[in-house]
């Protein structure tokens, strides 16, 4: 029997195979009540396949999905009353107006005081001016806002959000992030969100799961995940003779990003002293230096992407 | 089955109809064209050397009833296609909506649209050719009911194929409904058909309906045994069609509902 102290979602051994290709490979995770979980990974890692299985629109080859103590396979109808979904990549019918879309979806969930609920959602997402417009007349960002608003229409206990702030301007994206945190705080809404914006995940997620090649490679708080990597970003302001730095970094295959006269070099934390000593030896002078701690993006790049491997000792 | 969810899907298509001239034209344009072309031809046959007392009534009334069996498969399939084209199928199936509720809504939407086409054709025939097919109330209702079963059966089969193979077979929505047309003996009796085609017509429920429409016009009677057989055959076919459609749905869930929209 489900009680409020249990996980609202439990995924066990979830697997999806398409012919000989395993898109999702025996993954296990859970979601607590009121938790925001980031579901991250590179393109083709298995994120969307997992989300589709969690929504019941893709049948798993193997494994269990249990919401509120009930198996999705047997209780989809009951479960979906309390779950909703929004994706930047799935559109509402373009020919319908925003209001018509909200209306028919409200009927699907049998929302009590339908008109009032739609009015409230419209206010929350600042959609008053768009209500009578056809979806086809909206910009990508406006469509995303409407899709997000739709996902709140049934007072969901669990929300699955696929890149909720993609295509939004920074101000609206910030508002949406704050709104999600508010909903989490006030109504204990649990959220799984996929995003390629790692700073967003750091900001809103209590926990992050990294998936690659269909397998979970990390499952922890963003802070703990960041702690596992030992790189730092050294930003130097070089007014003259930056060529020496660039040629050094190119030769040694060290990541070096240029932004005007600022050069950001990514190195291991414990090699910072050696790196500065090399700069001194090579007469590479700078007028300003700042050192930044690693971020979740660094974790992503180091564990999923490709990073420079050569140590400073090897270079020296 | 929750009717508010069925109503929601019906509402979604009513809204769509409100904004989409194509769909409104579908319901009224083609039936009107058919009525005029066939009505004028029948008027010509009713005059001069071709003069015959009931050819106009025969052809126009057969055409009016055929509109049901012709529009229903299309309208049923287009209900799914509308959601595939709008990439909306995922939006509705991530709600508590069940397959049976979606199917009921599809059946209602296609039924209403086909009936609107039928009524429109009845009105045009009455206004322009003075042909009234509604004079035999109960029999008319029976013919309509049997043709609805045939139309939905073909509609569900086409929908099952689209669900199974995706948008690459969407042309079936426009074409496959016509496959029973030659064997339905709409404008001619079954015994006109070649022997092999007569054998096929035995298994086409609509052929019994059109044979009885002609019999009613000519002798004022119908063969209830034939119509009962037609009903049983229709029932058998529609159950098979629904089972196949459900199997297609289960199968598409194994590949992922989003693959249909690709």
């Amino acid at each position: 029997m489900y009680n409020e102290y249990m996980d609202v979602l439990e995924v066990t051994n979830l697997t999806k195979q398409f012919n000989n290709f395993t898109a999702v490979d025996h993954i296990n995770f859970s979601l607590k009540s009121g938790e925001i979980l980031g579901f991250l990974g590179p393109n083709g890692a298995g994120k969307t396949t997992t989300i589709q299985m969690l929504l019941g629109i893709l049948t798993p080859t193997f494994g269990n999905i249990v919401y509120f103590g009930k198996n999705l396979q047997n209780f989809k109808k009951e479960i979906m009353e309390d779950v909703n979904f929004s994706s930047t990549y799935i559109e509402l019918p373009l020919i319908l107006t925003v209001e018509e879309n909200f209306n028919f979806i409200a009927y699907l969930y049998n929302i009590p005081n339908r008109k009032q609920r739609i009015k409230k959602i419209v206010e929350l997402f600042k959609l008053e001016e768009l209500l009578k417009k056809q979806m086809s007349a909206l910009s990508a960002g406006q469509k995303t806002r409407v899709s997000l608003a739709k996902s709140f229409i049934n007072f969901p206990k669990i929300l699955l959000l696929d890149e909720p702030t993609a295509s939004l301007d920074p101000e609206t994206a910030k508002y949406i992030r704050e709104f999600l945190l508010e909903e989490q705080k006030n109504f204990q809404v649990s959220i799984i969100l996929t995003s390629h914006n790692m700073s967003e995940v750091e900001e809103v997620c209590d926990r992050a799961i990294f998936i690659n090649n269909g397998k979970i490679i990390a499952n922890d708080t963003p802070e703990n995940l960041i702690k596992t990597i030992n790189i730092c970003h050294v930003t130097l302001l070089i007014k003259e003779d930056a060529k020496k730095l660039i040629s050094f970094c190119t030769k040694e295959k060290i990541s070096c990003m240029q932004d005007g006269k600022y050069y950001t070099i990514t190195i291991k934390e414990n090699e910072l002293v050696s790196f500065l000593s090399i700069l001194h030896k090579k007469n590479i002078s700078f007028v300003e230096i700042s050192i930044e701690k690693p971020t979740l993006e660094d974790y992503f790049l180091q564990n999923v992407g490709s990073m420079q491997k050569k140590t400073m000792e090897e270079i020296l | 089955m929750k009717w508010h969810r069925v109503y929601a899907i019906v509402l979604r298509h009513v809204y769509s109809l409100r904004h989409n001239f194509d769909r409104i034209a579908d319901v009224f344009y083609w039936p009107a064209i058919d009525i005029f072309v066939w009505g004028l031809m029948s008027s010509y046959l009713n005059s001069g050397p071709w003069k015959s007392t009931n050819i106009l009534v025969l052809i126009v009334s057969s055409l009016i009833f055929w509109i049901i069996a012709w529009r229903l498969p299309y309208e049923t399939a287009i209900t799914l296609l509308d959601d595939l084209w709008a990439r909306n199928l995922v939006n509705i199936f991530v709600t508590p909506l069940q397959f049976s509720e979606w199917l009921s809504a599809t059946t209602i939407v296609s039924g209403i649209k086909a009936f609107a086409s039928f009524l429109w054709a009845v009105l045009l025939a009455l206004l322009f050719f003075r042909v009234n097919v509604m004079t035999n109330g109960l029999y008319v209702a029976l013919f309509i009911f049997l043709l609805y079963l045939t139309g939905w059966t073909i509609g569900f089969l086409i929908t099952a194929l689209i669900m199974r193979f995706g948008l690459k077979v969407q042309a079936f929505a426009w074409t496959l409904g016509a496959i029973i047309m030659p064997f339905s003996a709409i404008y001619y009796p079954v015994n006109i058909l070649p022997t092999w085609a007569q054998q096929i017509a035995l298994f086409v429920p609509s052929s019994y309906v059109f044979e009885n429409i002609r019999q009613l016009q000519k002798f004022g009677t119908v063969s209830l045994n034939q119509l009962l057989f037609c009903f049983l055959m229709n029932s058998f076919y529609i159950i098979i069609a629904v089972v196949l459609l459900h199997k297609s749905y289960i199968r598409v869930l194994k590949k992922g509902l989003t693959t249909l929209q690709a």
Side-chain angles (χ1 to χ4, degrees):
Chain A
M1 204 63 181
Y2 173 73
N3 65 61
E4 60 184 306
Y5 303 107
M6 288 169 73
D7 293 326
V8 289
L9 169 65
E10 267 188 285
V11 173
T12 327
N13 277 328
L14 191 64
T15 303
K16 184 65 195 180
Q17 289 171 328
F18 297 102
N19 299 322
N20 295 325
F21 172 68
T22 305
V24 175
D25 194 358
H26 292 87
I27 62 169
N28 297 282
F29 66 91
S30 60
L31 180 69
K32 290 181 178 62
S33 177
E35 184 181 31
I36 301 184
L37 174 67
F39 203 66
L40 314 169
N43 294 333
K47 297 188 301 288
T48 305
T49 306
T50 306
I51 295 280
Q52 285 182 15
M53 286 191 280
L54 295 180
L55 288 167
I57 53 167
L58 177 65
T59 311
T61 309
F62 189 72
N64 273 322
I65 300 167
V66 177
Y67 285 94
F68 319 112
K70 289 176 183 170
N71 196 304
L72 179 65
Q73 209 178 350
N74 305 325
F75 295 94
K76 188 188 172 200
K77 188 178 59 170
E78 288 90 333
I79 289 166
M80 287 302 155
E81 298 275 4
D82 295 317
V83 178
N84 211 321
F85 160 76
S86 168
S87 170
T88 309
Y89 309 106
I90 307 271
E91 288 178 338
L92 290 161
L94 295 177
I95 200 161
L96 269 57
T97 65
V98 173
E99 189 177 31
E100 288 168 344
N101 271 305
F102 285 163
N103 212 21
F104 97 80
I105 285 164
Y107 271 109
L108 277 172
Y109 289 103
N110 202 21
I111 306 294
N113 301 319
R114 192 172 30 85
K115 283 185 179 168
Q116 263 183 307
R117 181 59 185 161
I118 292 172
K119 198 178 164 200
K120 180 77 183 163
I121 286 289
V122 166
E123 274 169 25
L124 285 171
F125 285 86
K126 301 173 180 170
L127 298 169
E128 290 87 350
E129 284 177 15
L130 307 180
L131 202 58
K132 302 284 177 195
K133 283 190 179 175
Q134 279 185 300
M135 289 294 288
S136 56
L138 306 189
S139 69
Q142 288 169 331
K143 282 179 193 161
T144 304
R145 253 162 67 206
V146 171
S147 174
L148 267 170
K150 176 233 86 164
S151 70
F152 278 92
I153 208 160
N154 61 326
F155 307 95
K157 290 179 184 156
I158 298 181
L159 261 179
L160 302 172
L161 305 177
D162 190 11
E163 301 199 33
T165 57
S167 73
L168 293 180
D169 60 73
E171 194 189 343
T172 314
K174 185 173 176 281
Y175 175 78
I176 296 297
R177 282 195 292 273
E178 285 167 0
F179 179 78
L180 293 179
L181 289 168
E182 244 345 76
E183 288 290 305
Q184 178 205 28
K185 197 173 124 192
N186 296 336
F187 303 105
Q188 286 289 296
V189 179
S190 310
I191 300 170
I192 295 181
L193 73 86
T194 70
S195 178
H196 285 118
N197 181 345
M198 296 294 149
S199 64
E200 175 175 275
V201 174
E202 269 186 78
E203 187 186 333
V204 300
C205 292
D206 302 302
R207 195 157 52 95
I209 285 177
F210 277 86
I211 184 168
N212 197 16
N213 297 322
K215 290 185 174 167
I216 290 179
I217 55 168
N219 180 356
D220 210 334
T221 61
E223 297 77 22
N224 285 345
L225 292 173
I226 292 166
K227 275 182 202 164
T228 63
I229 52 168
N230 62 348
I231 60 160
C232 63
H233 304 287
V234 181
T235 304
L236 304 170
L237 172 58
I238 299 177
K239 285 197 171 165
E240 286 166 12
D241 217 8
K243 278 181 188 167
K244 275 197 271 179
L245 176 72
I246 296 167
S247 87
F248 166 69
C249 289
T250 310
K251 191 180 160 201
E252 303 302 339
K253 292 178 182 165
I254 297 170
S255 162
C256 178
M257 308 288 283
Q258 185 188 354
D259 180 11
K261 289 192 172 180
Y262 288 91
Y263 296 82
T264 302
I265 297 105
T266 304
I267 53 167
K268 288 189 174 175
E269 263 176 327
N270 57 3
E271 290 171 345
L272 181 60
V273 177
S274 317
F275 174 71
L276 294 174
S277 138
I278 290 171
L279 293 185
H280 180 69
K281 271 188 192 170
K282 292 192 175 286
N283 282 328
I284 301 171
S285 57
F286 50 88
V287 290
E288 211 179 289
I289 182 168
S290 69
I291 299 162
E292 282 171 36
K293 286 184 172 181
T295 61
L296 202 60
E297 187 159 339
D298 297 315
Y299 180 90
F300 181 89
L301 291 170
Q302 195 168 74
N303 289 278
V304 181
S306 56
M307 287 278 288
Q308 46 104 356
K309 296 281 190 290
K310 215 168 187 178
T311 64
M312 284 298 150
E313 284 72 24
E314 283 169 342
I315 296 165
L316 280 165
Chain B
M1 175 95 77
K2 293 282 183 196
W3 286 104
H4 63 83
R5 291 199 283 264
V6 176
Y7 177 69
I9 300 301
V10 172
L11 195 63
R12 175 254 179 278
H13 289 285
V14 171
Y15 287 148
S16 188
L17 203 61
R18 210 193 263 180
H19 298 288
N20 196 337
F21 179 73
D22 288 353
R23 295 285 166 274
I24 298 167
D26 278 347
V27 172
F28 298 109
Y29 179 74
W30 293 113
I33 292 291
D34 269 350
I35 286 289
F36 282 120
V37 169
W38 286 95
L40 290 168
M41 195 192 87
S42 307
S43 295
Y44 167 65
L45 290 176
N46 251 3
S47 62
W50 303 98
K51 188 160 187 170
S52 162
T53 49
N54 64 355
I55 199 154
L56 176 72
V57 177
L58 191 79
I59 289 181
V60 172
S61 57
S62 295
L63 172 65
I64 289 171
F65 284 104
W66 170 246
I67 281 170
I68 295 171
W70 165 52
R71 297 305 304 168
L72 264 175
Y74 171 78
E75 298 294 1
T76 308
I78 215 80
T79 308
L80 170 68
L81 285 173
D82 259 347
D83 274 325
L84 288 181
W85 290 328
R87 303 173 76 85
N88 185 45
L89 212 57
V90 168
N91 281 318
I92 59 173
F93 277 110
V94 298
T95 70
L97 183 77
Q98 291 182 292
F99 175 78
S100 59
E101 291 162 346
W102 175 80
L103 186 60
S104 301
T106 300
T107 307
I108 291 168
V109 171
S110 60
I112 292 170
K113 285 160 90 177
F115 198 67
S117 294
F118 171 75
L119 285 182
W120 173 241
V122 167
L123 185 72
L124 291 178
L126 196 62
L127 284 175
F128 293 97
F129 303 106
R130 302 266 179 262
V131 174
N132 184 2
V133 297
M134 305 297 266
T135 47
N136 294 297
L138 266 180
Y139 288 130
V140 168
L142 187 60
F143 294 147
I144 291 173
F145 171 67
L146 292 170
L147 288 171
Y148 256 87
L149 291 180
T150 307
W152 273 323
T153 300
I154 302 164
F156 294 157
L157 288 173
I158 297 170
T159 309
L161 286 169
I162 295 172
M163 246 191 202
R164 172 75 180 79
F165 298 105
L167 287 174
K168 57 180 175 273
V169 297
Q170 62 181 325
F172 284 165
W174 295 270
T175 55
L176 218 59
I179 205 160
I180 60 158
M181 198 177 179
F183 308 104
S184 293
I186 305 160
Y187 307 110
Y188 42 79
V190 170
N191 59 24
I192 290 285
L193 293 168
T195 315
W196 63 268
Q198 286 184 37
Q199 298 300 313
I200 294 173
L202 286 174
F203 300 98
V204 176
S206 45
S207 69
Y208 297 92
V209 176
F210 289 105
E211 286 282 77
N212 276 277
I213 288 172
R214 277 187 294 274
Q215 193 180 316
L216 184 66
Q217 283 165 353
K218 205 168 179 181
F219 306 110
T221 61
V222 295
S223 165
L224 287 175
N225 282 344
Q226 273 190 12
L227 293 177
L228 178 67
F229 181 66
C230 169
F231 169 70
L232 293 173
M233 201 178 350
N234 258 327
S235 305
F236 175 66
Y237 287 162
I238 206 165
I239 289 168
I240 291 176
V242 170
V243 169
L244 287 175
L245 180 54
H246 188 249
K247 276 181 180 285
S248 291
Y249 174 70
I250 298 295
R251 199 184 165 101
V252 80
L253 286 183
K254 286 183 181 163
K255 287 195 299 177
L257 211 53
T258 49
T259 57
L260 265 186
Q261 296 177 170

